[in-house]
Amino acid sequence: MTENAQQQPSAPDSELPTQYAPADVEGPLYERWVERGYFEADAKSEKPPYTIVIPPPNVTGSLHLGHAFQHTLMDALTRRKRMQGFESLWLPGMDHAGIATQNVVERELGKEGKSRHDLGREAFVERVWQWKDEYGGKILGQMRRLGDGVDWTRERFTMDEGLSQAVQTIFKRLYDDELIYRAERIINWCPRCLTAISDIEVEYQDDDGELVSMKYGEGDDTIVVATTRAETMLGDTAVAVHPDDERYKHLVGRHIKLPLTDRTIPVVADTHVDPEFGTGAVKVTPAHDPNDFAIGQRHDLESLTVMDERGVITVHGPFEGLDRFEARSAIVAALRADGRIVAEKRPYVHSVGHCSRCKTTVEPRLSMQWWVKVAPLAKAAGDAVRDGRVKIHPQEMEKRYFDWVDNLHDWCISRQLWWGHRIPVWYGPDGEVVCVGPDDEPPTGEGWTQDSDVLDTWFSSGLWPFSTLGWPEQTPDLKKFYPTDVLLTGHDIIFFWVARMMMFGLYAMDGEVPFKTIALTGLVRDQFGKKMSKSSGTAVDPLDWMNAYGSDAVRFTLARGANPGTDVPIGEDWVQASRNFANKIWNATRFALMNGATIEGELPPAEQLSATDRWILSRLNKTVSQVDALYDDFQFAKLSDALYHFAWDEVFDWYVELSKTTFMAGGEPAKVSGRVLGEVLDVTLKLLHPIVPFVTETLWTTLTGGESIVIADWPKDSGFRDEAAEREIETLQQVITEVRRFRADQGLQPGQRVPARLTLTGTALAPHEAAIRQLLRLQPEGDTFAATATLPVGGATVALDLSGTIDVAAERKRLAKDLAAAEKEKAQATAKLGNEAFLAKAPDNVVDKIRGRLSKADEDIERIKAQLDGLPEA
């Protein structure tokens, strides 16, 4: 069946507490795993490698459900591979999170009445390191609580010495290859954080604003433009129209007066303008809008910056010194007084970008920044997926990946912060520019200064798969564990992190991919499928659920919702259900241990096993094969569901119950069933372990006496199948289920015993009479037995004596009423499905629903008629 523990196990201790208490078990178990080095990977090992790098959480972060979700899946993958004999490395670490961390420390300084400028750069950075050492990395402790089987001896930080050397190395190489350059471009600017920010750090939301239409020029030269940012009109250097727009052909090439200023600006023709939108004319402010900047480049327009880094107006006397929003109102008022306002729409709901850190409205701003020329890097990243070197799962996500990498713009990598990897470029007194690598001495002498900017956090995290393994040094770790096997991450950062790792990995590692498979997950949602948020009160701290229900319950709930690439709804009642599952595993194993379940000795040959034993062993092997296939396809939800139903339904609800009579009888059959049950539990606990590690470790070590399930062998499908036994037990289940349903329909209590005559002769059910009577609470028929209800089911006949237990006349009346309702439902559904006009118009889901109603009505009619036939005449 399976390979059991390598050493001969001692006799298991069958004493388990009556109830499973996760809080008492999880912490000590995890520390024992770490102390024994189970999660440490050996670069010298001859085992095949299996590597996953963790998406590095922010040093400022704490565990949220999104982390718990992805970490559960990554942990499941690496635990299974470790059990399969791979040298499994799951490498942990944290990201320095430039803006987020700097903001935290600046807020702390603010409480002291200071700013970073009061400290100066060097002292401020030292203060951040102090904060990191004292308060950062909270999430690492929370990862232990979740059960993350990471190699803590290899923990990395994006600002540690080795990773900093990697950052400087690749910057220098890219610079020397002319793939990094400095230029003035439009970027996202946060007036609060005072830095450029990446696209991923901009959150868009619908805001109430205003759309103002205003008149430029005079007389025949008049043209109307509309804007939601009236304050930027001070920096207009043109009005643009479509070259084919007949309305404005007479104006193209002429200059018109810009209101509120003493300037005139040209009218230019540009195909970017949509003649059908608004007036078909747009104002062009190259220094404050990315589209306008592109128009300005095409038409050689001047770029006028009209506000500073804090969003304060810097030009034109009456408005100079006003905040951008104050200036907006003042400029609209001045235009109105000048008769220039043609229309005003308030509120005008439109999408506005906000800084994800401080929620300040982002300002597009012309700025001198450092850029990566991404075209050749992005092409390589696209080719690696196209030629199959990297697989994206699910495959339908490939289109999103290609849409991104095939249309990438150059990447702004500089940030106006003090915390981060400082750009390794020095400027000399005579305009010299020197890029310094990690082995170079920076230039010294009067007038030499280092660039004050730091690199975008995504620059260093883009190196993560190889920098964490020691690159640029050719380390044993890099040789053994690169390329990594799986990158498991949310589809929401496929553009920002995944693409950057692909570009840098292929560039730095001479065309070798950073990972073989990209497994994309969805996002965790509330139970109604809506985004969780603190403001709406739907955000959940997973630690609260872990405290209440145990880490295994949270992990199993998340895994059971993890369909590839789709979002994961989760509610507390689902976590409660998973807690109940953990309790079920616990209680069933306690029962098994108390009844002699063991893994000692060889399994008896099939001919010595009962049909029940052969059935469960056949189902067990099919489950092993099914779970393996689903793991390889990253179908966590399906494999979790398969394990849930196999464990709960087939093992605990059927095999354990069917075996009770055997255990009660004792003797050799009980010993055989004890060995089979031990085998089934051994394999089932191993299959469950990667997802629910704590409860399975406790139960497995008790059952087997083995050292730890973490290092046990993963189950293998022995190939044993017994279709005849499966059909036999399916028939037995059908009999028990139908009689149970009949009893419930008659209002009998589950434990109420009823006299019965079983006619099993000539069927495969004859050996199961004791089990049938035990499970259905059926007494021997006795001398006064009178069959008042007869149920033919599964080739057998079950006759029940219900005299004195039910009112037959009342029961017949109730069933007749139910039958009439079912027949009416069938007639209505049949009529609709027979109506061609209805079928032609109705959506497919509506038609499917009606077909389902018809099928259920047929089933109800058949069931009720059988119940009526089984009742005596009133």
Side-chain angles (χ1 to χ4, degrees):
M1 286 298 304
T2 62
E3 298 177 17
N4 290 311
Q6 294 88 340
Q7 73 277 13
Q8 273 295 327
S10 58
D13 178 6
S14 62
E15 290 299 318
L16 283 170
T18 55
Q19 289 185 323
Y20 177 49
D24 297 339
V25 170
E26 293 174 352
L29 259 189
Y30 187 84
E31 293 310 315
R32 190 184 314 156
W33 291 335
V34 174
E35 288 167 8
R36 293 180 177 180
Y38 294 155
F39 305 140
E40 294 176 19
D42 182 2
K44 298 178 182 178
S45 167
E46 295 184 1
K47 295 179 182 178
Y50 183 81
T51 315
I52 290 183
V53 289
I54 202 166
N58 287 354
V59 66
T60 60
S62 59
L63 191 74
H64 57 62
L65 273 175
H67 290 129
F69 170 54
Q70 292 182 358
H71 287 208
T72 294
L73 305 187
M74 286 185 277
D75 196 30
L77 291 173
T78 48
R79 283 179 183 269
R80 171 175 173 258
K81 286 294 184 180
R82 187 178 292 112
M83 295 172 75
Q84 286 183 313
F86 286 78
E87 195 63 33
S88 230
L89 171 60
W90 185 20
L91 194 149
M94 292 184 300
D95 191 286
H96 64 279
I99 294 177
T101 308
Q102 180 157 319
N103 279 349
V104 168
V105 178
E106 285 196 81
R107 282 197 296 270
E108 293 297 312
L109 283 175
K111 295 175 184 177
E112 303 170 15
K114 297 178 182 178
S115 74
R116 59 180 164 130
H117 300 285
D118 294 322
L119 271 66
R121 182 169 193 141
E122 188 175 332
F124 176 77
V125 170
E126 179 60 31
R127 180 74 174 257
V128 180
W129 277 108
Q130 291 173 6
W131 179 91
K132 184 259 180 187
D133 293 340
E134 188 171 354
Y135 301 107
K138 175 183 177 183
I139 193 171
L140 299 179
Q142 296 167 336
M143 287 163 54
R144 301 170 88 94
R145 178 69 192 283
L146 186 66
D148 283 8
V150 297
D151 186 346
W152 291 110
T153 66
R154 285 177 164 83
E155 181 189 334
R156 303 303 300 268
F157 179 55
T158 51
M159 289 280 286
D160 68 29
E161 184 178 351
L163 269 64
S164 296
Q165 182 184 15
V167 168
Q168 197 171 352
T169 298
I170 201 163
F171 188 100
K172 171 69 170 171
R173 291 188 186 179
L174 289 164
Y175 182 87
D176 289 346
D177 287 344
E178 298 183 349
L179 292 173
I180 282 183
Y181 64 95
R182 193 170 185 238
E184 197 172 41
R185 300 273 181 82
I186 289 283
I187 44 86
N188 300 308
W189 182 266
C190 177
R192 156 61 183 82
C193 299
L194 299 180
T195 182
I197 59 176
S198 66
D199 291 339
I200 197 174
E201 293 163 325
V202 179
E203 293 178 347
Y204 288 90
Q205 66 184 47
D206 286 342
D207 285 357
D208 285 347
E210 59 182 357
L211 181 65
V212 179
S213 298
M214 46 197 181
K215 185 168 56 177
Y216 285 15
E218 304 287 353
D220 292 339
D221 291 348
T222 297
I223 195 166
V224 175
V225 299
T227 183
T228 58
R229 301 166 64 221
E231 68 279 9
T232 63
M233 60 87 59
L234 299 175
D236 287 357
T237 55
V239 171
V241 297
H242 194 277
D244 298 332
D245 195 331
E246 294 293 336
R247 294 171 294 176
Y248 303 118
K249 280 202 170 182
H250 68 288
L251 287 176
V252 174
R254 297 174 62 176
H255 281 66
I256 61 174
K257 185 174 185 339
L258 180 65
L260 307 183
T261 73
D262 57 2
R263 292 191 292 117
T264 61
I265 57 177
V267 178
V268 299
D270 195 281
T271 54
H272 170 77
V273 180
D274 180 1
E276 302 299 323
F277 183 76
T279 64
V282 296
K283 58 190 287 298
V284 182
T285 321
H288 294 278
D289 183 273
N291 293 322
D292 293 3
F293 179 78
I295 293 174
Q297 292 283 293
R298 288 194 289 272
H299 297 277
D300 198 24
L301 300 175
E302 185 180 5
S303 294
L304 296 178
T305 300
V306 298
M307 63 182 81
D308 66 14
E309 69 275 8
R310 297 182 183 274
V312 174
I313 301 298
T314 58
V315 298
H316 200 68
F319 310 108
E320 189 173 356
L322 294 179
D323 171 80
R324 53 187 167 154
F325 300 117
E326 296 173 334
R328 181 176 301 172
S329 299
I331 287 170
V332 170
L335 289 168
R336 191 184 299 114
D338 201 25
R340 293 282 178 175
I341 298 296
V342 175
E344 297 178 71
K345 185 176 180 181
R346 294 189 188 86
Y348 178 73
V349 179
H350 61 132
S351 181
V352 178
H354 296 260
C355 174
S356 62
R357 303 298 178 192
C358 66
K359 311 309 176 188
T360 301
T361 299
V362 169
E363 190 65 41
R365 187 168 189 262
L366 185 64
S367 181
M368 181 66 76
Q369 302 285 347
W370 285 94
W371 304 81
V372 172
K373 187 184 296 182
V374 299
L377 303 174
K379 182 182 184 303
D383 290 345
V385 175
R386 287 189 170 94
D387 63 24
R389 284 176 289 155
V390 176
K391 305 289 186 185
I392 292 182
H393 189 88
Q395 191 174 359
E396 55 265 27
M397 286 286 182
E398 282 186 3
K399 183 180 184 302
R400 294 183 65 186
Y401 176 80
F402 291 135
D403 285 346
W404 181 255
V405 297
D406 293 346
N407 297 284
L408 267 180
H409 299 296
D410 285 359
W411 170 22
C412 176
I413 56 171
S414 46
R415 298 291 179 266
Q416 289 64 56
L417 304 171
W418 288 355
W419 172 245
H421 297 101
R422 195 164 175 182
I423 288 176
V425 172
W426 271 255
Y427 305 107
D430 298 317
E432 303 96 330
V433 179
V434 176
C435 181
V436 176
D439 299 324
D440 301 331
E441 287 294 329
T444 57
E446 188 176 348
W448 283 94
T449 58
Q450 185 178 358
D451 195 297
S452 61
D453 289 352
V454 301
L455 288 163
D456 178 12
T457 297
W458 295 102
F459 190 94
S460 50
S461 58
L463 314 181
W464 193 253
F466 52 92
S467 64
T468 52
L469 297 173
W471 185 92
E473 302 300 323
Q474 295 304 306
T475 64
D477 275 1
L478 193 65
K479 183 178 179 181
K480 176 76 173 179
F481 297 111
Y482 189 91
T484 67
D485 288 87
V486 177
L487 173 72
L488 190 145
T489 190
H491 62 66
D492 56 324
I493 59 171
I494 185 173
F495 315 126
F496 308 105
W497 189 47
V498 178
R500 300 195 187 328
M501 285 189 289
M502 286 284 282
M503 290 191 297
F504 280 167
L506 290 161
Y507 173 80
M509 300 300 293
D510 299 320
E512 195 168 15
V513 298
F515 22 74
K516 300 165 190 171
T517 301
I518 301 169
L520 297 171
T521 70
L523 308 179
V524 179
R525 305 285 186 178
D526 69 16
Q527 59 188 322
F528 304 109
K530 295 181 180 178
K531 183 179 179 180
M532 290 186 172
S533 69
K534 292 181 180 178
S535 59
S536 63
T538 57
V540 173
D541 185 343
L543 293 171
D544 291 340
W545 281 352
M546 283 188 253
N547 290 335
Y549 308 111
S551 297
D552 282 337
V554 174
R555 290 170 62 114
F556 192 73
T557 304
L558 291 165
R560 204 173 177 191
N563 289 299
T566 59
D567 290 346
V568 183
I570 185 172
E572 187 167 4
D573 54 339
W574 302 344
V575 186
Q576 292 173 350
S578 296
R579 185 268 317 274
N580 295 343
F581 179 52
N583 289 341
K584 183 78 171 181
I585 301 170
W586 184 272
N587 293 333
T589 306
R590 281 190 74 248
F591 168 84
L593 289 169
M594 289 187 292
N595 285 276
T598 181
I599 64 163
E600 291 188 21
E602 294 296 320
L603 274 173
E607 57 270 19
Q608 295 180 20
L609 301 176
S610 69
T612 307
D613 292 336
R614 286 182 280 115
W615 161 72
I616 197 62
L617 291 175
S618 183
R619 290 294 307 128
L620 179 68
N621 275 282
K622 286 184 178 179
T623 301
V624 171
S625 180
Q626 180 186 18
V627 167
D628 275 335
L630 291 170
Y631 257 118
D632 292 341
D633 199 34
F634 303 99
Q635 297 281 358
F636 295 98
K638 290 181 179 179
L639 73 88
S640 299
D641 211 48
L643 285 171
Y644 176 89
H645 288 294
F646 175 73
W648 191 307
D649 300 343
E650 298 186 80
V651 179
F652 305 145
D653 278 358
W654 282 109
Y655 182 72
V656 168
E657 291 299 317
L658 289 170
S659 300
K660 281 183 178 178
T661 52
T662 305
F663 289 133
M664 290 168 63
E668 188 60 27
K671 290 181 181 179
V672 171
S673 288
R675 179 64 187 88
V676 171
L677 181 53
E679 182 76 11
V680 171
L681 285 175
D682 172 37
V683 173
T684 302
L685 291 170
K686 287 175 179 175
L687 291 175
L688 284 165
H689 172 72
I691 298 173
V692 284
F694 295 107
V695 66
T696 51
E697 168 83 332
T698 306
L699 295 175
W700 186 85
T701 52
T702 303
L703 169 71
T704 67
E707 180 185 341
S708 173
I709 197 171
V710 176
I711 55 172
D713 292 331
W714 182 253
K716 294 178 181 177
D717 176 5
S718 71
F720 177 81
R721 301 287 190 276
D722 194 323
E723 302 299 336
E726 289 196 42
R727 288 192 296 271
E728 181 175 326
I729 300 306
E730 285 172 8
T731 303
L732 175 61
Q733 291 171 330
Q734 181 186 1
V735 170
I736 292 170
T737 300
E738 287 299 317
V739 177
R740 279 176 173 169
R741 182 183 293 138
F742 180 81
R743 286 176 54 110
D745 288 339
Q746 309 311 316
L748 298 177
Q749 296 299 313
Q752 186 175 350
R753 294 196 168 273
V754 177
R757 177 185 298 142
L758 304 184
T759 305
L760 307 176
T761 307
T763 74
L765 299 178
H768 302 289
E769 178 168 354
I772 292 172
R773 287 189 176 276
Q774 172 67 24
L775 292 174
L776 291 174
R777 304 294 189 266
L778 302 180
Q779 300 176 174
E781 51 194 273
D783 297 335
T784 61
F785 179 82
T788 60
T790 303
L791 301 174
V793 57
T797 303
V798 179
L800 304 173
D801 182 355
L802 302 179
S803 56
T805 61
I806 61 170
D807 183 336
V808 175
E811 188 61 21
R812 278 191 168 278
K813 185 175 180 181
R814 183 184 71 80
L815 289 172
K817 184 178 179 181
D818 290 348
L819 181 61
E823 288 174 337
K824 181 180 179 181
E825 174 74 0
K826 177 179 180 178
Q828 290 175 341
T830 302
K832 283 193 173 183
L833 293 173
N835 185 333
E836 294 297 333
F838 169 77
L839 293 176
K841 294 180 181 179
D844 290 345
N845 65 318
V846 173
V847 176
D848 289 343
K849 188 175 181 180
I850 293 172
R851 288 195 179 112
R853 284 169 49 193
L854 177 60
S855 177
K856 184 177 184 305
D858 282 333
E859 291 174 5
D860 289 344
I861 290 169
E862 184 179 352
R863 175 178 55 82
I864 295 167
K865 283 182 175 179
Q867 290 175 285
L868 284 166
D869 291 343
L871 287 174
E873 294 298 326

